[in-house]
Amino acid sequence: MFVDKNMHKIEDTLILVKKVHALNHWMEVVLRSVLILLGLFFITKLLGKKQLSKLSFFEYIVGITIGDIAGTISMDVDLQASHGVVAILVWASFLIFVSNVSLKSISFRKAVEGTTTILIKEGKILEENVKKEKYTVDELMEQLRKKDIFYVEDVAFAMLETNGELSVLLKKEKQNVTREDLLIKGEATRLPQTIIMDGNIMKEAVHELGYSVAWVKEQLKKKGAEVDKVFLGQADSTGHLYLDYYEDEKKTESK
């Protein structure tokens, strides 16, 4: 009888230990999850609001990897949390480094994030560019239909952005009528170009508009602007030039 009582006490003790152990696991999972969530929130704040919009290819890969690491650390209590935190910090630091370098270097930004690709020009599908971007005609038409465009011939330009978004500019005659259209005779639609970026003249874009670097410098001189002080400059085929300066108080737009 005495032995049976001791056995029951031992069994009850083991059951209690298992329950406490299971509870500790649950508490550790909750604690890990909360701490990781707070850490990811802090990292997201460091990366800026850009991460809340469309991600670039590189940012997409890093985001998936960090999410996978965070999920694994939260659930697997057998793994050392410190190792996972170090891994997340390494990936996040690399993303921050790439983002900062991309802001300062156009060539690096193009290498990491890629460049826009024109898929449709003046109602004609550029088959080579479509194949290059691994797009099918069905996928292209689907993207157009999402923008309420059902005829390719209505499109002046359709460009695949670096984040995978398709930007479309309709031909002038297919655009909604504006007050300006009623006052000024419409001209053939030509794609506006970014001719100055981060204080550098984009020669290829300038030539695409039919202008020269000398013309750009002359326009800058008329506005009393220096190219290295310009953050962004855009122009169109009518000669309209928009300049955005590094210093906010100098920002202006050509009339």
Side-chain angles (χ1 to χ4, degrees):
M1 180 68 69
F2 181 75
V3 175
D4 290 340
K5 289 183 178 180
N6 286 339
M7 289 297 294
H8 283 301
K9 289 183 179 180
I10 294 174
E11 289 178 356
D12 292 340
T13 301
L14 290 175
I15 292 174
L16 180 62
V17 169
K18 289 181 179 179
K19 289 183 178 179
V20 172
H21 186 65
L23 180 61
N24 288 338
H25 273 203
W26 278 105
M27 292 299 296
E28 185 174 355
V29 169
V30 172
L31 181 61
R32 286 188 179 205
S33 299
V34 171
L35 292 177
I36 289 173
L37 181 61
L38 293 175
L40 292 178
F41 176 77
F42 178 72
I43 292 173
T44 304
K45 294 289 286 184
L46 285 179
L47 293 174
K49 294 182 180 179
K50 177 187 174 184
Q51 307 305 316
L52 301 178
S53 61
K54 297 289 185 177
L55 300 177
S56 67
F57 180 72
F58 177 76
E59 291 166 344
Y60 177 74
I61 294 176
V62 174
I64 288 179
T65 304
I66 291 179
D68 184 55
I69 294 173
T72 302
I73 298 172
S74 298
M75 296 298 297
D76 195 341
V77 294
D78 293 328
L79 295 177
Q80 291 190 20
S82 58
H83 291 173
V85 171
V86 170
I88 290 177
L89 290 176
V90 169
W91 279 90
S93 299
F94 188 61
L95 179 56
I96 293 173
F97 170 77
V98 170
S99 298
N100 290 334
V101 175
S102 296
L103 291 174
K104 299 177 181 179
S105 173
I106 297 176
S107 57
F108 183 82
R109 182 163 63 243
K110 288 182 178 180
V112 174
E113 299 184 1
T115 57
T116 58
T117 303
I118 298 178
L119 302 184
I120 301 176
K121 183 175 182 180
E122 296 299 337
K124 304 294 183 182
I125 297 177
L126 305 182
E127 290 84 358
E128 292 299 324
N129 289 352
V130 172
K131 292 179 181 178
K132 175 184 175 183
E133 296 298 338
K134 304 297 187 296
Y135 247 63
T136 66
V137 176
D138 290 336
E139 290 170 337
L140 179 58
M141 294 304 300
E142 179 183 353
Q143 293 300 315
L144 291 176
R145 288 193 295 271
K146 287 181 178 180
K147 298 180 181 294
D148 297 326
I149 301 171
F150 293 87
Y151 294 97
V152 175
E153 62 181 355
D154 293 344
V155 178
F157 291 95
M159 296 164 289
L160 187 65
E161 305 291 352
T162 56
N163 59 14
E165 183 76 16
L166 187 68
S167 300
V168 180
L169 177 66
L170 291 173
K171 291 181 178 179
K172 190 70 175 179
E173 60 271 20
K174 295 298 181 179
Q175 297 177 14
N176 293 330
V177 178
T178 64
R179 184 177 180 182
E180 185 179 8
D181 293 326
L182 298 176
L183 298 174
I184 302 175
K185 185 178 179 180
E187 298 180 356
T189 303
R190 294 193 65 181
L191 183 66
Q193 297 285 342
T194 298
I195 62 173
I196 301 176
M197 187 184 295
D198 294 339
N200 297 298
I201 296 177
M202 314 302 290
K203 296 180 180 179
E204 184 177 346
V206 173
H207 296 155
E208 180 72 20
L209 286 174
Y211 299 130
S212 64
V213 174
W215 177 86
V216 176
K217 292 181 178 180
E218 181 182 351
Q219 297 302 311
L220 291 174
K221 185 177 180 181
K222 289 180 179 179
K223 294 177 177 292
E226 298 178 12
V227 66
D228 58 347
K229 298 293 192 302
V230 178
F231 177 68
L232 179 72
Q234 289 184 309
D236 57 25
S237 56
T238 66
H240 176 78
L241 179 64
Y242 165 83
L243 298 177
D244 185 279
Y245 298 89
Y246 278 106
E247 299 180 23
D248 292 339
E249 65 270 15
K250 290 185 178 180
K251 287 183 179 179
T252 183
E253 181 174 358
S254 59
K255 301 293 185 182

